[in-house]
């Protein structure tokens, strides 16, 4: 899969840095503080989930156990997993074609009005827009972000419809997960940059897969609570479910979509206790996710002040 992302404009070959030597320090410094491994707790606090009425310890444990059983069925049954976006193979094949131009890529996107609108929306977002004037055409969006930036925008735009979920009892948590996923992808890709372009896009895709897994976890937990006609479990228990099962569900999607072993290993790494024991790609994701949460929570507190 990551091979599909390798094409870029003609240039001198980049010096390859050994994968084990990736410096994840910039991820920590961007957050402005030391980071823990907890990326889900801050999202629950911002969504107000930690302030909801809690069940008894026994009721909470029973709901968590039922949710885990449902998540096992989800991970083991390909029919339950999100389908690969229809345009993904064609777009990635074009992005990997040395003869294809940015205009060719924009032409493919233009065939899908929803995808084109989504791409323009993302290009105009605070995360990507670098000019005062709004981006109002696909050609301009491509010229502004370049081919490398377009790869990221396309991957995010393709994932976004799959990740849609009404908040319901979770309030704005699904929207926060989506925002967190985009921020994590940017931070992880920066940490992977010394290893070269292939690892940059692999890190972005890893972040999107974990975010997709997080949405599945929220959906399964919501359905389990509805079937039991009960409230939400303890917020700490929800946070643990998200941290453990989001990468596992992301790995199941990666397996079903026939993505590379390196991506699946990096997702497996997310349940490893020691960051130093992870693969380089796994470390990028493990530090980018909590760093993104710290940045989001800091901004949320500042906005509320």
């Amino acid at each position: 899969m990551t091979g599909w992302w390798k094409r870029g404009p003609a240039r001198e070959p980049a010096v390859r840095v050994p994968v084990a030597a990736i410096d994840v320090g910039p991820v920590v410094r961007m957050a402005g503080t030391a980071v823990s491994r907890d990326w889900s707790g801050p999202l629950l606090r911002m969504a107000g989930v930690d302030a909801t009425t809690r069940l008894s310890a026994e009721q909470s444990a029973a709901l968590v156990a039922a949710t885990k059983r449902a998540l096992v069925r989800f991970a083991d049954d390909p029919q339950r997993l999100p389908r690969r976006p229809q345009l993904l193979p064609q777009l990635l094949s074009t992005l990997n074609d040395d003869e294809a131009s940015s205009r060719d890529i924009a032409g493919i996107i233009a065939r899908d009005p929803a995808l084109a609108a989504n791409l323009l929306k993302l290009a105009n977002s605070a995360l990507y827009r670098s000019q005062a004037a709004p981006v109002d055409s696909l050609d301009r969006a491509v010229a502004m972000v370049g081919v490398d930036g377009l790869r990221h925008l396309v991957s995010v735009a393709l994932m976004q419809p799959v990740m849609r979920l009404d908040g319901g009892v979770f309030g704005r948590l699904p929207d926060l997960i989506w925002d967190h996923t985009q921020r994590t992808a940017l931070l992880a890709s920066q940490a992977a940059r010394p290893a070269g372009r292939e690892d940059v896009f692999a890190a972005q895709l890893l972040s999107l897969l974990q975010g997709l897994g997080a949405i599945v976890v929220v959906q399964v937990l919501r359905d389990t609570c509805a079937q039991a006609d009960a409230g939400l479990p303890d917020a700490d228990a929800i946070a643990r479910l998200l941290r453990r099962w989001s990468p596992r569900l992301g790995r199941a999607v990666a397996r079903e979509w026939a993505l590379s072993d390196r991506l699946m290993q990096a997702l497996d790494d997310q349940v490893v206790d020691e960051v130093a024991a992870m693969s380089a790609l796994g470390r990028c994701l493990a530090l980018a996710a909590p760093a993104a949460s710290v940045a989001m929570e800091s901004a949320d507190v500042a906005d509320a002040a």
Side-chain angles (χ1 to χ4, degrees), residues 118-233:
N118 215 1
L119 186 58
L120 288 173
K121 180 179 178 181
L122 288 169
N124 279 291
S125 71
L127 283 174
Y128 302 105
R129 184 170 161 185
S130 59
Q131 300 175 353
V135 179
D136 53 10
S137 72
L138 291 176
D139 285 348
R140 185 178 171 196
V142 170
M144 183 183 75
V145 304
V147 174
D148 285 352
L150 186 63
R151 287 190 182 99
H152 178 60
L153 286 172
V154 165
S155 65
V156 172
L158 284 168
M159 285 285 194
Q160 188 176 31
V162 181
M163 294 179 69
R164 286 177 183 162
L165 177 69
D166 293 334
V169 294
F170 289 99
R172 62 188 186 116
L173 181 60
D175 288 337
L176 289 169
I177 289 175
W178 176 235
D179 187 8
H180 178 264
T181 298
Q182 296 180 79
R183 291 173 183 269
T184 300
L186 290 174
L187 292 173
S189 65
Q190 180 163 342
R193 192 170 299 280
R197 180 178 290 111
E198 183 178 355
D199 279 30
V200 167
F201 297 116
Q204 290 174 347
L205 191 55
L206 278 174
S207 305
L208 293 168
L209 288 166
Q210 178 165 277
L212 182 57
I215 287 294
V216 173
V217 171
V218 171
Q219 177 185 350
V220 171
L221 177 58
R222 179 199 62 188
D223 293 346
T224 302
C225 292
Q227 291 169 7
D229 193 21
L232 294 175

Side-chain angles (χ1 to χ4, degrees), residues 8 20 24 32 39 41 47 50 60-61 66 68 122 184 198 205 229-230 252 282 296:
V24 294
W39 58 265
D50 61 329
S60 181
K68 288 180 179 177
L122 288 169
T184 300
E198 183 178 355
L205 191 55
D229 193 21
M296 288 174 63

Side-chain angles (χ1 to χ4, degrees), residues 9-182:
R11 63 183 70 186
E12 292 298 316
V15 177
R16 295 284 296 180
V17 177
V19 177
I22 292 179
D23 177 19
V24 294
V27 173
V28 180
R29 290 194 293 273
M30 272 185 277
T33 183
V35 296
S36 71
R37 294 287 302 281
D38 180 16
W39 58 265
S40 52
L43 301 185
L44 293 171
R45 288 194 293 272
M46 285 185 283
V49 173
D50 61 329
T52 57
T53 302
R54 295 183 177 181
L55 304 172
S56 69
E58 294 77 11
Q59 290 173 317
S60 181
L63 272 176
V64 169
T67 301
K68 288 180 179 177
R69 290 193 295 271
L71 287 169
V72 169
R73 292 193 295 272
F74 237 102
D76 293 341
D77 185 358
Q79 298 303 315
R80 293 172 176 262
L81 297 172
R83 299 287 184 182
R84 184 174 62 183
Q86 187 173 4
L87 283 179
L88 186 63
Q90 183 181 7
L91 277 171
L92 296 183
S93 176
T94 303
L95 287 166
N96 196 43
D97 182 358
D98 289 331
E99 302 300 321
S101 66
S102 297
R103 188 174 293 274
D104 294 329
I105 298 166
I108 294 173
I109 297 170
R111 296 174 198 161
D112 185 331
L115 178 59
N118 215 1
L119 186 58
L120 288 173
K121 180 179 178 181
L122 288 169
N124 279 291
S125 71
L127 283 174
Y128 302 105
R129 184 170 161 185
S130 59
Q131 300 175 353
V135 179
D136 53 10
S137 72
L138 291 176
D139 285 348
R140 185 178 171 196
V142 170
M144 183 183 75
V145 304
V147 174
D148 285 352
L150 186 63
R151 287 190 182 99
H152 178 60
L153 286 172
V154 165
S155 65
V156 172
L158 284 168
M159 285 285 194
Q160 188 176 31
V162 181
M163 294 179 69
R164 286 177 183 162
L165 177 69
D166 293 334
V169 294
F170 289 99
R172 62 188 186 116
L173 181 60
D175 288 337
L176 289 169
I177 289 175
W178 176 235
D179 187 8
H180 178 264
T181 298
Q182 296 180 79

Side-chain angles (χ1 to χ4, degrees), residues 193-295:
R193 192 170 299 280
R197 180 178 290 111
E198 183 178 355
D199 279 30
V200 167
F201 297 116
Q204 290 174 347
L205 191 55
L206 278 174
S207 305
L208 293 168
L209 288 166
Q210 178 165 277
L212 182 57
I215 287 294
V216 173
V217 171
V218 171
Q219 177 185 350
V220 171
L221 177 58
R222 179 199 62 188
D223 293 346
T224 302
C225 292
Q227 291 169 7
D229 193 21
L232 294 175
D234 182 87
D236 289 340
I238 299 175
R240 288 192 295 270
L241 278 174
L242 282 166
R243 288 196 299 273
R244 181 165 188 83
W245 282 92
S246 297
R248 181 168 175 178
L249 269 294
R251 188 196 191 283
V253 172
R255 181 192 63 221
E256 180 63 17
W257 291 6
L259 305 188
S260 73
D261 289 340
R262 290 182 66 228
L263 289 173
M264 289 190 282
Q265 178 59 56
L267 289 163
D268 286 339
D269 287 341
Q270 302 314 300
V271 297
V272 174
D273 291 333
E274 295 295 330
V275 174
M278 298 179 181
S279 65
L281 281 175
R283 290 197 296 273
C284 290
L285 179 57
L287 292 179
S293 296
V294 169

